């Protein structure tokens, strides 16, 4: 497809400008004349020109998961009603509130109406979609079950969105409390303590140990805060550079799976991610080896990604999934056994869906349990810290009369 820039006159004689994508100049002219009867100029847009700059998207390249889930559900309904794919794309584009998705659908509708496959029309925007989206559409087109593929994707992305929202809502309160505590600490150490230190110093005498410790800490932060900020930023940048290496990815993934509490949550989440993605891929019509290959690409944890990736070769050799996943080091035994049972019974996609729901609920429960334990821990820590500050400030006030 080539992008053309054009100038044209509408039916009432108004000059208009725009861009259109087409296979060649003749097709572009035909599309323009559907809206504007008179074309004054039409030229191909060169790569890197100002039109590309003007059309650059600000922010994340990815389409929001909520918008993606809604779009897939709408596609499933319209395709089951017998509506052509191109027309369905145009209708959904008019209804969506996501500007990025609207532009993609309009462009994809033009391609589909020109004879391009649905998967190819979306593949031009592969950076905006998960790999599971493109592969599911391609499999649905090849098997003639595109509406079923969109149904499964709608359920999958809706489940993914709801899980992410649950995690965000659960973490909101402790994060808010920690942020408030940091702000209070900064104000106390930079404003309150220095003012009290001057008052105590003017009175003379020996201050209590706790008060001296607090004043020393305040002086340290006031003098070296720039150095501390620089060191923290340097450490963050060094860690980011390290985790781009092979050994860094493995270390971070190992920490994610082995840390107390967090390790269990990440392991359960990885199992849910594997089961849910595999269930959707198989239901969409992908072969088992292609389903495993696609699932490996979407695994968040690097060690789990390598575990799934290592299964591909053995599955191509003809070995069953249950045997392959048993050799994985980091997946829960429950997932391994259920995959084997589902494969032996011939109900692998249904079994994976069930086990995916089970692990999703387990992740939700594990997070709630962790937060329930974290909240009182944070409050106790803050109470001890606040008590120390109050004790350090008020203790010398009881001896101020002796100093005056």
């Amino acid at each position: 497809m080539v992008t053309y820039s054009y100038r044209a006159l509408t039916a009432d004689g108004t000059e208009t400008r725009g861009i259109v994508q087409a296979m060649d100049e003749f097709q572009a002219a035909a599309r323009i004349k559907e809206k504007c009867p008179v074309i004054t100029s039409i030229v191909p847009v060169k790569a890197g020109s100002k039109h590309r700059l003007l059309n650059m998207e600000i922010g994340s390249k990815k389409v929001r998961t909520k918008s993606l889930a809604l779009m897939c559900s709408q596609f499933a309904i319209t395709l089951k009603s017998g509506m052509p794919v191109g027309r369905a794309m145009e209708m959904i584009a008019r209804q969506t509130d996501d500007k990025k998705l609207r532009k993609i659908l309009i462009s994809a509708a033009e391609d589909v109406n020109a004879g391009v496959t649905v998967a190819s029309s979306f593949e031009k925007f592969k950076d905006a979609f998960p790999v599971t989206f493109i592969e599911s559409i391609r499999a649905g087109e090849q098997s003639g079950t595109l509406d079923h593929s969109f149904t499964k994707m709608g359920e999958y992305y809706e489940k993914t969105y709801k899980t992410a929202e649950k995690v965000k809502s659960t973490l909101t309160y402790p994060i808010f409390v920690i942020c408030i505590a940091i702000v209070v600490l900064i104000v106390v150490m930079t404003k309150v303590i220095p003012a009290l230190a001057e008052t105590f110093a003017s009175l003379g005498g020996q201050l209590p140990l706790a008060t001296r410790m607090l004043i020393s800490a305040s002086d340290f932060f006031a003098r070296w805060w720039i150095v501390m900020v620089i060191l923290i930023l340097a450490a963050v940048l060094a860690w980011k550079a390290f985790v781009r290496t092979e050994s860094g990815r493995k270390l971070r993934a190992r920490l994610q799976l082995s840390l107390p509490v967090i390790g269990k949550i990440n392991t359960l989440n990885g199992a849910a991610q594997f089961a849910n993605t595999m269930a959707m891929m198989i239901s969409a019509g992908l072969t088992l080896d292609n389903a495993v290959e696609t699932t490996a690409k979407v695994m968040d944890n690097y060690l789990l990604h390598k575990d799934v990736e290592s299964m591909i070769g053995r599955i191509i050799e003809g070995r069953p999934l249950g045997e392959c996943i048993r050799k994985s080091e980091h997946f829960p035994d429950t997932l391994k056994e259920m995959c084997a049972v589902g494969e032996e019974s011939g109900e692998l996609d249904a079994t994976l869906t069930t086990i995916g729901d089970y692990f999703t609920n387990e992740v939700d429960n594990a997070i709630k349990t962790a937060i329930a334990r974290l909240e009182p821990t944070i409050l106790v820590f803050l109470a001890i810290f606040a008590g120390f500050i109050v004790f350090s400030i008020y203790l010398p006030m009881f001896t101020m009369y002796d100093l005056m």
Side-chain angles (χ1 to χ4, degrees):
M1 300 292 284
V2 182
T3 302
Y4 293 90
S5 171
Y6 69 87
R7 292 184 181 182
L9 298 177
T10 61
D12 58 0
T14 304
E15 185 179 18
T16 182
R17 300 181 183 184
I19 58 174
V20 65
Q21 288 186 326
M23 300 300 294
D24 52 39
E25 188 172 334
F26 297 102
Q27 189 183 71
R31 291 186 179 179
I32 297 168
K33 285 185 176 180
E34 292 176 1
K35 301 177 181 178
C36 304
V38 179
I39 301 174
T40 57
S41 70
I42 178 171
V43 292
V45 178
K46 295 181 180 180
S49 69
K50 63 180 181 179
H51 295 284
R52 175 167 294 187
L53 180 62
L54 292 173
N55 287 281
M56 286 178 61
E57 295 286 348
I58 299 175
S60 175
K61 293 182 179 180
K62 294 289 185 182
V63 173
R64 292 176 297 177
T65 306
K66 182 180 180 181
S67 300
L68 192 58
L70 180 59
M71 183 196 72
C72 290
S73 300
Q74 290 174 323
F75 259 118
I77 294 171
T78 53
L79 293 180
K80 286 178 181 178
S81 68
M83 183 181 294
V85 179
R87 186 178 173 187
M89 287 179 173
E90 293 172 351
M91 184 192 72
I92 296 171
R94 290 193 298 268
Q95 294 177 352
T96 183
D97 295 328
D98 192 313
K99 295 181 180 179
K100 187 191 302 293
L101 185 57
R102 184 185 300 122
K103 291 182 179 179
I104 292 173
L105 288 173
I106 292 172
S107 175
E110 293 179 354
D111 291 348
V112 171
N113 290 331
V116 179
T117 64
V118 180
S120 298
S121 68
F122 279 118
E123 198 166 15
K124 293 195 311 181
F125 309 96
K126 60 183 179 180
D127 291 339
F129 296 105
V131 65
T132 51
F133 180 77
I134 306 295
E135 295 302 325
S136 296
I137 292 177
R138 182 176 287 111
E141 280 189 299
Q142 292 173 354
S143 61
T145 57
L146 189 58
D147 57 341
H148 179 70
S149 296
F150 274 113
T151 300
K152 289 297 181 181
M153 284 193 292
E155 296 172 355
Y156 172 77
Y157 292 124
E158 184 178 4
K159 184 188 298 182
T160 302
Y161 170 74
K162 288 182 178 179
T163 300
E165 288 301 304
K166 285 181 182 179
V167 173
K168 288 179 182 178
S169 62
T170 307
L171 293 176
T172 297
Y173 176 71
I175 291 176
F176 175 76
V177 171
I178 292 173
C179 290
I180 293 298
I182 292 173
V183 171
V184 171
L185 173 63
I186 293 173
V187 172
V188 169
M189 300 301 283
T190 59
K191 300 294 182 181
V192 179
I193 301 303
L196 292 174
E198 292 180 4
T199 302
F200 293 149
S202 64
L203 296 174
Q206 181 70 20
L207 294 174
L209 177 61
T211 307
R212 282 182 280 136
M213 290 174 58
L214 193 62
I215 293 175
S216 298
S218 175
D219 292 340
F220 177 82
F221 280 110
R223 183 177 299 178
W224 301 104
W225 69 271
I226 296 179
V227 176
M228 293 176 64
V229 170
I230 293 174
L231 289 176
I232 292 173
L233 290 176
V236 170
L237 293 175
W239 173 254
K240 287 186 174 181
F242 175 66
V243 296
R244 291 193 183 119
T245 64
E246 181 72 12
S247 57
R249 292 192 191 100
K250 289 182 177 179
L251 176 61
R252 181 176 64 177
R254 193 172 292 110
L255 289 173
Q256 289 173 342
L257 298 177
S258 60
L259 288 173
V261 183
I262 296 176
K264 179 183 177 181
I265 293 174
N266 285 327
T267 301
L268 293 173
N269 184 62
Q273 197 173 26
F274 174 85
N276 288 326
T277 306
M278 282 290 294
M280 187 186 70
M281 294 290 98
I282 295 173
S283 298
L286 265 71
T287 58
L288 187 59
D289 58 328
N290 288 333
V292 172
E293 183 178 1
T294 303
T295 303
K297 294 176 183 178
V298 303
M299 298 300 295
D300 293 331
N301 185 274
Y302 186 69
L303 289 179
L304 296 180
H305 159 76
K306 299 300 287 186
D307 275 353
V308 178
E309 194 176 51
S310 66
M311 301 179 198
I312 300 172
R314 294 195 291 268
I315 289 176
I316 293 175
E317 293 173 358
R319 299 181 183 180
L321 177 64
E323 177 186 334
C324 297
I325 198 172
R326 280 196 180 100
K327 296 183 179 180
S328 302
E329 300 179 18
H330 306 96
F331 282 116
D333 292 336
T334 305
L335 177 65
K336 299 177 183 179
E337 294 302 323
M338 290 300 294
C339 284
V341 170
E343 196 170 31
E344 292 169 3
S345 63
E347 301 268 342
L348 182 58
D349 56 341
T351 303
L352 286 169
T353 300
T354 303
I355 198 67
D357 292 338
Y358 166 76
F359 279 114
T360 299
N361 291 331
E362 287 297 299
V363 171
D364 189 29
N365 293 332
I367 292 175
K368 288 180 179 178
T369 302
I371 296 299
R373 295 176 180 176
L374 179 63
E375 288 178 0
T377 303
I378 293 175
L379 293 176
V380 169
F381 173 78
L382 292 178
I384 293 174
F385 182 74
F388 175 75
I389 292 177
V390 172
F391 177 77
S392 302
I393 292 174
Y394 279 93
L395 184 61
M397 290 185 178
F398 295 118
T399 59
M400 287 180 70
Y401 294 105
D402 296 332
L403 299 174
M404 294 178 64

